[in-house]
Amino acid sequence: MSQTRLTLFELNSLVRGVLETTLSSAYWVEAELSEAREVRGHCYMELIQKDLFSATPVARASAKCWKTQWTRLRPKFEQITGQPLHAGMKVLLLVTVNFHEAYGFSWIVQDIDPTYTMGDMARKRLEIIRQLKEQGIFDMQKELSIPMFAQRIAVISSEHAAGYGDFCNQLETNDYGFVFYPKLFPAVMQGEQVEHSIIAALNDINAQAQQFDAVVIIRGGGATADMSGFDTLLLAENVANFPLPVITGIGHERDESILDMVSNTRVKTPTAAAAFLIGNLANVWTHIGNCQDRIVTCVGQRMERQRNRLNRCADRIPMLFSLVKTRQEARLDRLAAQMVSLIGNRLTQNRHRLQLICTNIRPAIARRITRENNHLEQLDIRLKALDPHTLLKRGYSITLHKGKAVRDVSEVKAGDEIETQVENGRIISIVR
């Protein structure tokens, strides 16, 4: 059976004709950007739609905004939303169909509704704020106090940003001559790397947190449209939980990022951050001066009161001395009278006691002498009874050897000379 055969170009031309005939109108389409890039003045976008529950893409398409349209749409979009088109952004586009035989199908962007994106951004910001408050960390930085002598400053900024130079210059040339010690922790302050870069810098600071008094996050020289990097949940969580007070100076008066909301102190610009730190030290200096003045005043008042008190005491001393002297003299007189009375009483008592002793001592002495005489007589009788001569008179004898009485035969041996005493003499004998 014969079939009509078409070349690819013919088939694509047929498809193009059908699409241009069927989809001849412009359509407003809601989508999320998975990619947005600018090439030679044209903007190329990749659109997706995600499943509501799994976040899996269920539709994809390419879209282009030609240079003539993009030149007109971009400034308006960025002025209203405050940021450029970037991946993850929800957009509402007015598109027309385009099918090219060589390049395939795409949507041509005719208009962009920035208010739709603003609404989606606002919803995201509100959701992030809700999560931070639900975790109880939204106001944690506000509970920290900027140290009175905050001079060691960790600075997160782009190394070559003009704002960083202005910040350091203002600190160094302050009118008070205060000395600050800023240390830079370089970070990307615009684009898609903002979140990751600042968190990495915070981690480096946290590893040596004891060396700093506060953290300053500043951004200078960037466009207002690059603020989206400071509106992320992960960055806000890191700042809210940071142990040191964080000062932000990343935007302009009308721009307040979520990072500003969770920080300890938010100022407009890098120079305003420097002015805040200088003002903090100036307030401390003023407070110290006020305290010094108060101390001088209080000491002066106290010295004046004490001087007056001493003068009053000096005036009262003669009178008080006279009064004390009179009282002490009267007291001494009373003590002297009491002493004379006590001595007289004590002498009378002792005199009476001596009289009693004298009265009782003679009979006691006589009785004692009598007892002692009796005792001596008894001893004399006992002594006479024990006298050896008394024994000799009774017919007993005493045998002596070398002047000692012999009580046992074993005390002498043959040939020893012994002496026997009797009543009327002594007998010398030799032992055999």
Side-chain angles (χ1 to χ4, degrees):
M1 185 172 65
S2 63
Q3 292 181 336
T4 302
R5 291 183 296 180
L6 302 174
T7 65
L8 179 59
F9 180 82
E10 290 173 335
L11 179 60
N12 284 351
S13 297
L14 180 61
V15 172
R16 176 179 179 178
V18 172
L19 290 175
E20 289 178 349
T21 302
T22 306
L23 303 174
S24 57
S25 302
Y27 301 92
W28 284 102
V29 60
E30 298 176 352
E32 179 180 328
L33 293 175
S34 65
E35 184 181 348
R37 65 188 187 279
E38 189 174 324
V39 181
R40 293 190 294 275
H42 309 297
C43 184
Y44 294 88
M45 311 174 201
E46 294 296 327
L47 308 179
I48 60 172
Q49 178 182 342
K50 295 180 180 178
D51 181 76
L52 184 61
F53 301 101
S54 64
T56 302
V58 295
R60 293 180 180 272
S62 297
K64 303 180 182 69
C65 187
W66 302 124
K67 183 177 181 179
T68 54
Q69 289 292 98
W70 182 239
T71 303
R72 178 180 61 84
L73 296 177
R74 176 183 175 179
K76 178 184 176 183
F77 181 85
E78 292 183 354
Q79 181 182 9
I80 294 176
T81 63
Q83 55 185 295
L85 287 175
H86 59 80
M89 180 179 282
K90 295 284 186 69
V91 290
L92 179 61
L93 308 174
L94 181 63
V95 297
T96 56
V97 70
N98 175 263
F99 189 87
H100 192 278
E101 290 84 350
Y103 302 109
F105 177 86
S106 65
W107 295 102
I108 305 301
V109 177
Q110 305 296 334
D111 198 2
I112 305 175
D113 184 358
T115 58
Y116 175 84
T117 302
M118 283 289 291
D120 182 68
M121 290 166 52
R123 285 191 297 274
K124 285 184 177 180
R125 283 166 60 93
L126 289 175
E127 177 60 21
I128 292 174
I129 292 171
R130 185 194 66 78
Q131 292 185 51
L132 293 172
K133 289 184 176 180
E134 190 176 84
Q135 294 176 40
I137 62 175
F138 187 79
D139 294 316
M140 281 183 64
Q141 270 284 316
K142 302 295 190 296
E143 298 173 2
L144 301 177
S145 298
I146 303 292
M148 293 179 66
F149 298 94
Q151 295 172 277
R152 304 172 302 165
I153 311 301
V155 184
I156 299 177
S157 178
S158 175
E159 184 174 3
H160 303 292
Y164 172 64
D166 295 339
F167 173 83
C168 293
N169 182 63
Q170 185 154 345
L171 287 183
E172 186 174 352
T173 60
N174 68 86
D175 296 336
Y176 300 92
F178 296 145
V179 178
F180 292 87
Y181 307 95
K183 180 177 180 181
L184 177 66
F185 291 81
V188 177
M189 302 306 287
Q190 59 184 13
E192 297 180 1
Q193 296 300 315
V194 169
E195 177 188 79
H196 172 76
S197 183
I198 294 180
I199 290 175
L202 287 171
N203 289 336
D204 291 342
I205 296 170
N206 190 43
Q208 46 189 313
Q210 70 280 358
Q211 299 181 18
F212 300 102
D213 301 313
V215 178
V216 172
I217 302 176
I218 52 177
R219 168 185 176 270
T224 305
D226 295 327
M227 295 289 290
S228 60
F230 302 99
D231 285 334
T232 68
L233 177 61
L234 187 58
L235 178 56
E237 288 175 336
N238 275 267
V239 171
N241 286 291
F242 205 72
L244 296 175
V246 177
I247 303 166
T248 57
I250 59 176
H252 303 285
E253 179 65 32
R254 67 182 182 84
D255 303 308
E256 184 177 30
S257 66
I258 292 178
L259 185 62
D260 289 320
M261 296 179 186
V262 300
S263 67
N264 178 277
T265 303
R266 181 245 178 174
V267 295
K268 303 176 188 177
T269 60
T271 52
F276 174 81
L277 291 170
I278 295 169
N280 180 66
L281 267 189
N283 291 336
V284 173
W285 180 258
T286 301
H287 180 67
I288 291 173
N290 292 337
C291 290
Q292 180 179 348
D293 293 340
R294 289 176 61 188
I295 289 172
V296 171
T297 301
C298 290
V299 170
Q301 292 174 349
R302 184 63 178 269
M303 289 180 67
E304 184 63 26
R305 288 197 299 269
Q306 294 303 321
R307 188 179 297 110
N308 293 334
R309 181 171 176 268
L310 286 174
N311 290 335
R312 291 194 301 271
C313 290
D315 294 338
R316 295 177 61 191
I317 283 175
M319 179 183 66
L320 292 174
F321 178 76
S322 177
L323 179 61
V324 170
K325 179 182 177 183
T326 302
R327 289 177 178 174
Q328 293 303 319
E329 287 177 347
R331 180 171 176 271
L332 288 174
D333 291 341
R334 289 195 303 272
L335 291 175
Q338 290 177 6
M339 185 179 296
V340 171
S341 176
L342 290 173
I343 291 173
N345 293 336
R346 188 64 176 266
L347 287 174
T348 300
Q349 292 173 0
N350 287 331
R351 191 178 293 110
H352 179 67
R353 182 167 174 268
L354 286 174
Q355 290 176 352
L356 292 175
I357 291 173
C358 290
T359 303
N360 296 328
I361 197 169
R362 289 174 181 166
I365 291 173
R367 287 194 297 274
R368 183 63 178 265
I369 290 174
T370 302
R371 284 199 303 272
E372 294 302 325
N373 285 333
N374 293 333
H375 185 245
L376 288 174
E377 291 176 355
Q378 292 174 2
L379 290 176
D380 184 59
I381 293 171
R382 291 176 62 187
L383 182 60
K384 290 178 178 179
L386 295 174
D387 187 355
H389 293 286
T390 303
L391 295 175
L392 293 176
K393 288 178 180 180
R394 293 178 182 175
Y396 292 97
S397 64
I398 300 173
T399 301
L400 301 175
H401 175 61
K402 295 182 180 180
K404 294 182 180 180
V406 178
R407 292 181 174 82
D408 194 324
V409 175
S410 61
E411 294 179 0
V412 295
K413 60 182 182 294
D416 286 343
E417 183 181 280
I418 59 175
E419 178 184 343
T420 303
Q421 290 186 354
V422 294
E423 178 183 4
N424 57 357
R426 59 180 182 167
I427 300 170
I428 302 301
S429 305
I430 299 299
V431 179
R432 290 186 179 180

